[in-house]
């Protein structure tokens, strides 16, 4: 019986690579992004897999629940969700030494709150069916002090711990949560594209999304550990 993966916050980098990897394994793929502008190109790239695309702002709890219900109606119960609604707008990180409380709070609202809304939306059905997987990527600054990422670090740490704690809370159930801890720019993604255009002569810490998607599949199959880590950023000794 074929399963369904919902790739929420789908973009041309990691989201599409996750869709390719799971689609290759026979999953029906639902791509969700804020607009439908690039959906035809995404679906063309996924030829050979059963795939549909939906426009919704998944950071809006009501819109999130509506699109999940539509996917379920169109394709069937959602087995796996990948949640990565990241954008290249908003400017660069503010140094932690200069960050007011409002900036820290805004990072929580951007990174943590939507992930909690996602879990609240999908987990009850997964528990009722006694099956499911939740994959949520996060930043390396949530695990190691990386001053250049500034005020994003507290929210990244909270998101990572939220997923790890969720994994522990579900250890006796057939529902699995894991995080992909990422330190670097995803090749082909919007943030990577913006950065290379802005700094054309600067070597950028870049990661291959295919490698990360392969690791996501391994997490899904093995269900042995709650985290896979990837870094193109030199860490302090």
């Amino acid at each position: 019986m074929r399963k369904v993966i919902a790739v929420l916050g789908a973009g041309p980098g990691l989201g599409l690579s996750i869709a390719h990897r799971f689609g290759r394994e026979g999953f029906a793929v639902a791509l969700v992004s804020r607009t439908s502008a690039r959906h035809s190109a995404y679906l063309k790239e996924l030829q050979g897999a059963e795939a549909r695309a939906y426009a919704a702002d998944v950071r809006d709890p009501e819109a999130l629940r509506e699109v999940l219900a539509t996917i379920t109606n169109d394709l069937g119960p959602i087995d796996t969700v990948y949640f990565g609604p990241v954008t290249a707008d908003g400017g660069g990180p503010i140094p932690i030494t200069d960050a007011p409380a409002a900036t820290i709070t805004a990072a929580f609202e951007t990174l943590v709150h939507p992930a909690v809304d996602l879990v609240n939306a999908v987990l009850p059905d997964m528990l009722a069916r006694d099956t499911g997987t939740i994959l949520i990527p996060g930043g390396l600054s949530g695990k190691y002090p990386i001053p250049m990422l500034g005020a994003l670090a507290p929210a990244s740490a909270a998101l990572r711990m939220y997923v790890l704690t969720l994994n522990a809370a579900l250890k006796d159930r057939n529902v699995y949560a894991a995080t992909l801890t990422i330190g670097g720019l995803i090749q082909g993604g919007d943030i990577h594209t913006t950065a290379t255009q802005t700094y054309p002569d600067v070597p950028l810490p870049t990661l291959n999304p295919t490698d990360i998607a392969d690791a996501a599949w391994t997490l899904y199959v093995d269900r042995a550990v709650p985290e896979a880590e990837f870094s193109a950023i030199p860490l302090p000794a």
Side-chain angles (χ1 to χ4, degrees), residues 69-85:
T70 301
I71 292 167
T72 300
N73 184 66
D74 290 347
L75 297 174
I78 298 170
D79 173 83
T80 300
V81 289
Y82 167 83
F83 192 69

Side-chain angles (χ1 to χ4, degrees), residues 120-213:
N120 288 335
V122 301
L123 186 57
D125 181 63
M126 289 181 174
L127 290 174
R129 292 185 293 110
D130 195 34
T131 185
T133 297
I134 300 168
L135 299 173
I136 300 177
L140 196 68
S141 65
K143 188 173 182 179
Y144 305 101
I146 304 176
M148 67 180 177
L149 295 179
L152 293 174
S156 295
L159 178 62
R160 176 176 179 268
M161 187 51 63
Y162 175 71
V163 180
L164 296 182
T165 305
L166 183 63
N167 174 278
L170 296 170
K171 67 178 182 178
D172 296 324
R173 306 295 296 268
N174 196 34
V175 178
Y176 170 69
T179 186
L180 303 162
T181 298
I182 298 170
L185 303 177
I186 304 298
Q187 186 175 10
D190 288 334
I191 296 176
H192 179 262
T193 297
T194 298
T196 55
Q197 291 172 349
T198 305
Y199 308 104
D201 301 321
V202 177
L204 299 172
T206 302
L207 295 167
N208 186 333
T210 301
D211 295 339
I212 302 175

Side-chain angles (χ1 to χ4, degrees), residues 42-124:
Y42 294 165
L43 293 174
K44 187 175 181 180
E45 287 195 44
L46 291 171
Q47 284 182 353
E50 181 183 359
R52 296 197 187 191
Y54 305 83
D57 184 352
V58 296
R59 286 180 168 154
D60 177 338
E62 183 176 348
L64 172 64
R65 289 183 179 274
E66 287 179 359
V67 76
L68 291 170
T70 301
I71 292 167
T72 300
N73 184 66
D74 290 347
L75 297 174
I78 298 170
D79 173 83
T80 300
V81 289
Y82 167 83
F83 192 69
V86 177
T87 63
D89 54 4
I94 296 174
I96 195 73
T97 51
D98 299 331
T103 297
I104 302 293
T105 299
F108 273 79
E109 292 174 350
T110 298
L111 295 176
V112 182
H113 295 184
V116 176
D117 289 335
L118 177 276
V119 171
N120 288 335
V122 301
L123 186 57

